[in-house]
Amino acid sequence: MWRCAVLVSRRRLYSTRSGFADLGIDTKLIQALETRFQVHTPSSMQEELIRQTTTATNNLLVRQHTGSGKTFALILSLLSLTIRDHHLLRGLGLDESSALSVQQANSVVVVPNRELAFQIESWVSRLMADAYPEIPRQKIIGRYVSGVPYEAQQRGVLKRHGVPAIVVGTPRCLLELAYPEDGTPLIGVRAPDLLVDIVEQSEQFKGEFKLGAAKPGVESYRGVRRLVLDEVDGMLRLPNRHATERQKLLRREKPKPGQIFVDRLLGTLGVTRISNSLRPPQAPARSSNAKGWQKASDLALARNSLAAETRKRPEVNIVNEHSLQIIAVSATANKDLRNWMVHRGWMTMRPLMIDNPGQNIDVPTATTHHCLVIENDRAIRNLRDKSESPQESSRTEADTLQKEEEGDRSDSEQQTMMEQMSEVAANVIRELEPRGSVIIFTRSDASTAQFGRVLESYGVVARDIMTKFDEQLGVMIDQSEGKEFLDIQAKYAPNKDKPLGVFLATEEAARGLDLPDASLVLILDIPKSVASYAHLSGRTGRFGQPGTVVTVVPVGRLGWFESKMRGIFAALNIRPTKAEFIQD
């Protein structure tokens, strides 16, 4: 059972609810919300999320469908808390520079891809430009992602301005900046004083912690006090329910950078030591027989050990606005993820859930879904019902085919598939005449630049989606001197003559990405999983607006791809609509 569920209404995201002021959001930020984003009131989910974040009484696990505005609400809360603390520190007699120095790395936001990092930076920059233009943006938020020329520019900003109050970045880059293999960390992190006191208590744990009040004065505002793991399941390598023992071993021995970074950060902050003090004694492992086999009862016990240990552990709430609150967010989070985080020592008690009612994975309800299949003779048709398809492969055959079909294609095969997909994508765009922007998602191993050139040969001008955020931020990088110039006001001036664009991205860029005007999503090739399709398709139909998703897949041998798409739609309770412009 989930610890808590908060029901979310299905109406338009920004409706006629009570305002942000009742939730403690800074007055000037509220005015900037109305000016920059035309946002006047929060949704019921956002209201609960902002309340839980600003009061900081529990760790949170947020599971809401894509397009619900959860990331935006979180960032707004963090920014408002940063401004509040800044005013309080100024009230204690600190000047602006000293107050911002105390607030370094108060909030750490870990995101799965650089597109989401740029988007968050864009939101904060726009709000601060209107609400507090006198405070240097680089002191409030910093975005840290891998890739040239970003890394050199980011290091230069860190050296000139220091660590900002809100640190946003991708796992690998944060790991390199905070825990370099050699040299001094450019992003230093420390535990809040109140959390240090709790760590000291944990060494003599006798069943409870006394969560005292923060020490008065400036020191209570230092340290990492808020950790946000956005799209948390995307930064981990958790085995699925039917994973083999080999797959489970691989995931344990080769964790993703996101898991490594959070492990090290929570070790630095002392949370790991507190969690270890709560861990019950381990039962001795049963030995295997001479052939190395375990009994079936032992294997069943192992499968349930994570949930069993989570239930046995004493739950201690160490969350306080002056200690540490951890917020994990994902549209596809589940109780296995929750149990894993508690077992791993990331949380000392099961988190409070802000949950999406109904199914585990949800997609926007205002979206129309199509699936087009490229036959071997390059004929295009709609996805067929199972009853209309020829006899499909057996489970064993399907497993073999999956490995073959999803494996790396040769250069010639990839080029042929790119040509076919591009031609279909161009025709779909012309037929649907989308009213807003178009996002085209390609395979992870495909080159967006190469795809763009092929699309252009079919009359569609598409560009990498990163250029969208570069334009929004107005960032110009002088690689020789590493200087950054911002002209946010000019970049955000309305321009009715500017045409809506077609943007290219790989599947990894889908998580958390928000282009409010996106009305069409094209998924070229088979999505990796049900959760992946939910994230990809969730880039349109956001905030209750209508949207269209068209997935284009090759038929595959024995119709395997077609069968997998039917399975994805069934898992998400989606009934795909036949595209009228396709003659079957």
Side-chain angles (χ1 to χ4, degrees):
M1 293 291 293
W2 293 107
R3 180 178 171 83
C4 174
V6 179
L7 297 183
V8 180
S9 63
R10 296 282 186 179
R11 53 190 164 68
R12 179 171 167 78
L13 182 62
Y14 302 122
S15 61
T16 56
R17 296 183 57 84
S18 57
F20 289 98
D22 297 334
L23 302 173
I25 298 299
D26 180 81
T27 304
K28 289 187 177 181
L29 290 179
I30 294 174
Q31 295 172 353
L33 274 175
E34 296 175 353
T35 302
R36 289 287 186 177
F37 298 95
Q38 292 74 52
V39 174
H40 303 279
T41 52
S43 70
S44 56
M45 178 278 297
Q46 290 178 315
E47 183 177 340
E48 183 65 20
L49 181 53
I50 291 171
R51 180 180 294 110
Q52 293 293 338
T53 304
T54 53
T55 56
T57 56
N58 294 280
N59 289 323
L60 304 177
L61 182 56
V62 184
R63 180 175 65 182
Q64 296 292 328
H65 62 76
T66 58
S68 61
K70 52 188 179 294
T71 302
F72 188 88
L74 267 176
I75 297 304
L76 177 63
S77 301
L78 298 185
L79 183 56
S80 184
L81 289 170
T82 300
I83 296 299
R84 182 203 66 182
D85 290 350
H86 185 71
H87 291 328
L88 290 171
L89 287 167
R90 294 297 303 273
L92 292 173
L94 273 64
D95 59 29
E96 182 177 285
S97 178
S98 300
L100 290 170
S101 178
V102 169
Q103 293 181 269
Q104 288 185 350
N106 271 177
S107 300
V108 176
V109 183
V110 189
V111 296
N113 55 61
R114 66 184 185 182
E115 289 83 359
L116 183 53
F118 270 85
Q119 183 164 273
I120 291 172
E121 183 188 26
S122 170
W123 289 339
V124 173
S125 298
R126 296 164 76 179
L127 289 171
M128 290 299 294
D130 275 7
Y132 293 96
E134 71 277 8
I135 300 179
R137 179 194 63 90
Q138 297 90 342
K139 296 282 189 180
I140 295 296
I141 188 169
R143 165 264 306 152
Y144 307 102
V145 299
S146 300
V148 179
Y150 306 116
E151 293 178 3
Q153 176 257 339
Q154 291 161 177
R155 290 175 182 271
V157 172
L158 275 172
K159 291 176 180 178
R160 290 195 303 275
H161 297 282
V163 180
I166 304 174
V167 173
V168 180
T170 53
R172 190 179 302 277
C173 188
L174 291 177
L175 194 59
E176 293 172 353
L177 293 173
Y179 299 98
E181 294 183 1
D182 52 7
T184 305
L186 288 178
I187 296 179
V189 294
R190 54 161 287 180
D193 284 354
L194 186 57
L195 192 57
V196 173
D197 293 340
I198 299 171
V199 173
E200 293 174 353
Q201 289 186 54
S202 70
E203 296 176 353
Q204 294 87 31
F205 178 62
K206 300 186 184 303
E208 65 176 350
F209 288 128
K210 293 181 180 179
L211 190 59
K215 298 176 183 178
V218 172
E219 294 305 311
S220 63
Y221 293 92
R222 295 188 189 274
V224 179
R225 293 153 55 201
R226 293 168 287 271
L227 173 60
V228 176
L229 309 176
D230 204 356
E231 304 297 347
V232 60
D233 54 333
M235 67 179 67
L236 302 176
R237 197 188 296 272
L238 300 184
N240 60 43
R241 186 174 301 176
H242 305 293
T244 64
E245 292 301 317
R246 180 182 177 83
Q247 290 172 326
K248 293 177 182 178
L249 179 64
L250 177 65
R251 283 160 172 76
R252 284 196 300 269
E253 293 184 347
K254 295 184 178 181
K256 284 188 175 181
Q259 180 180 330
I260 297 172
F261 172 73
V262 177
D263 280 343
R264 292 190 182 180
L265 177 61
L266 295 182
T268 301
L269 301 181
V271 175
T272 306
R273 288 171 59 187
I274 299 171
S275 297
N276 288 338
S277 71
L278 303 174
R279 199 179 298 276
Q282 295 289 321
R286 295 181 63 174
S287 59
S288 56
N289 61 21
K291 292 184 178 180
W293 295 96
Q294 291 178 304
K295 294 182 179 180
S297 58
D298 291 339
L299 296 175
L301 181 63
R303 283 195 296 269
N304 297 321
S305 61
L306 209 63
E309 181 182 326
T310 302
R311 288 193 296 269
K312 289 179 181 178
R313 295 177 64 170
E315 293 197 334
V316 175
N317 191 354
I318 63 171
V319 179
N320 180 283
E321 65 173 334
H322 290 286
S323 61
L324 175 67
Q325 182 183 36
I326 301 174
I327 305 170
V329 184
S330 177
T332 54
N334 54 34
K335 61 184 179 182
D336 292 335
L337 173 63
R338 178 203 63 183
N339 289 336
W340 185 91
M341 289 192 296
V342 176
H343 177 269
R344 187 72 184 177
W346 288 11
M347 298 182 179
T348 58
M349 66 181 299
R350 283 176 293 179
L352 182 72
M353 279 294 302
I354 299 180
D355 199 5
N356 188 42
Q359 51 191 353
N360 288 344
I361 303 177
D362 201 3
V363 293
T365 56
T367 303
T368 301
H369 300 261
H370 303 297
C371 183
L372 307 182
V373 179
I374 302 177
E375 292 278 16
N376 295 328
D377 58 358
R378 297 191 67 165
I380 309 297
R381 60 172 172 81
N382 284 290
L383 179 73
R384 291 171 178 163
D385 293 333
K386 188 173 183 179
S387 59
E388 301 174 331
S389 298
Q391 185 66 32
E392 294 176 355
S393 57
S394 67
R395 176 71 188 215
T396 304
E397 291 173 321
D399 289 342
T400 303
L401 286 169
Q402 178 179 6
K403 294 175 184 177
E404 294 178 0
E405 298 281 7
E406 292 190 336
D408 292 336
R409 298 184 179 123
S410 67
D411 291 343
S412 60
E413 290 173 334
Q414 180 67 9
Q415 182 64 33
T416 300
M417 186 58 62
M418 196 180 300
E419 292 276 353
Q420 293 177 354
M421 295 288 186
S422 298
E423 183 179 3
V424 174
N427 289 328
V428 168
I429 292 172
R430 279 191 285 269
E431 289 288 343
L432 293 180
E433 298 181 342
R435 70 189 183 286
S437 295
V438 178
I439 306 177
I440 300 177
F441 288 108
T442 67
R443 274 171 58 117
S444 301
D445 58 356
S447 165
T448 55
Q450 190 176 2
F451 236 114
R453 288 191 292 270
V454 177
L455 276 168
E456 191 170 359
S457 69
Y458 288 99
V460 175
V461 178
R463 52 198 175 113
D464 192 288
I465 202 163
M466 285 302 299
T467 62
K468 176 79 170 178
F469 301 109
D470 288 342
E471 284 181 357
Q472 286 183 340
L473 281 169
V475 176
M476 297 180 292
I477 302 171
D478 183 334
Q479 296 186 30
S480 62
E481 297 185 17
K483 292 182 179 178
E484 182 185 50
F485 305 90
L486 293 172
D487 187 9
I488 298 170
Q489 297 283 354
K491 286 293 179 181
Y492 281 102
N495 185 354
K496 296 181 180 179
D497 297 328
K498 186 176 180 180
L500 295 169
V502 179
F503 300 99
L504 280 165
T506 59
E507 190 168 328
E508 280 68 24
R511 290 178 176 266
L513 195 63
D514 180 29
L515 268 66
D517 62 349
S519 61
L520 173 63
V521 166
L522 277 160
I523 304 173
L524 305 186
D525 228 324
I526 193 82
K528 290 181 179 178
S529 64
V530 173
S532 180
Y533 183 85
H535 285 288
L536 292 167
S537 63
R539 299 316 101 196
T540 188
R542 299 170 76 79
F543 313 141
Q545 295 297 311
T548 303
V549 179
V550 180
T551 305
V552 184
V553 298
V555 66
R557 283 201 291 155
L558 300 180
W560 186 86
F561 279 162
E562 193 168 8
S563 176
K564 183 174 180 179
M565 284 307 304
R566 281 196 292 270
I568 289 174
F569 288 136
L572 294 171
N573 291 328
I574 292 172
R575 293 183 63 86
T577 304
K578 291 185 180 296
E580 296 180 355
F581 54 85
I582 297 295
Q583 296 181 354
D584 292 328

